[in-house]
Amino acid sequence: LRQSASALKELAAYGSSKGVRVVSENFKALTSTGGSCRKLLELTEDAIGFITDFGNFKAPYKYEEFELILPASVSVHAKADYDEQGLPDEEEFRLCLDRVSASGFDGAMVLIYDGPGDMWEGLERVKRIVQPYL
């Protein structure tokens, strides 16, 4: 975490000189828990922004992990779990969205569809679920 934070701080300083803000997300082993995400953000001394990606935390603590990082997030990747027809698990997806809403998050909501079938139809299904939360 310290090595990554050091590199991210250096990258953030360079990005800042170019008018670019560096952001990272809860991805892979390094930031697989809310605690490790918070620690990375502490070590970078708020030099970077953060993204909460629904698909990158796993049960049983997925929703509690969101609460640790949503306050520091500039964006949310709203990604549902899909069945073999590309239909989202609406109940689980709404649990994620409810946590975002309860946190007071007011940043960008990026819709993600990576299921089977037509991407645009899949995005429309996701959009229909997310719309009331915006």
Side-chain angles (χ1 to χ4, degrees):
L1 280 171
R2 280 189 279 283
Q3 185 178 5
S4 293
S6 176
L8 283 167
K9 282 173 62 175
E10 184 178 334
L11 183 61
Y14 176 76
S16 180
S17 74
K18 304 293 182 187
V20 173
R21 181 152 191 226
V22 172
V23 297
S24 188
E25 73 173 83
N26 59 311
F27 187 66
K28 299 289 185 183
L30 184 71
T31 53
S32 62
T33 67
S36 61
C37 294
R38 291 297 311 159
K39 185 66 175 173
L40 180 66
L41 290 168
E42 288 171 20
L43 291 170
T44 60
E45 300 168 346
D46 298 320
I48 65 168
F50 213 73
I51 298 167
T52 298
D53 187 321
F54 290 178
N56 292 343
F57 283 143
K58 305 298 177 212
Y61 304 110
K62 177 177 185 173
Y63 314 104
E64 291 80 7
E65 305 284 9
F66 291 161
E67 292 173 6
L68 293 172
I69 63 171
L70 279 166
S73 293
V74 297
S75 178
V76 166
H77 286 178
K79 178 179 173 183
D81 293 328
Y82 304 97
D83 67 14
E84 58 279 347
Q85 283 84 38
L87 299 174
D89 179 342
E90 287 195 43
E91 182 179 343
E92 195 281 332
F93 194 43
R94 288 182 193 283
L95 286 173
C96 295
L97 293 165
D98 288 342
R99 292 294 174 120
V100 171
S101 182
S103 77
F105 176 81
D106 191 30
M109 182 85 66
V110 179
L111 306 183
I112 307 289
Y113 179 77
D114 65 354
D118 184 81
M119 176 182 65
W120 299 111
E121 289 175 13
L123 279 171
E124 282 300 319
R125 288 190 291 269
V126 170
K127 179 181 172 184
R128 178 183 51 78
I129 299 167
V130 171
Q131 194 80 39
Y133 290 88
L134 302 178

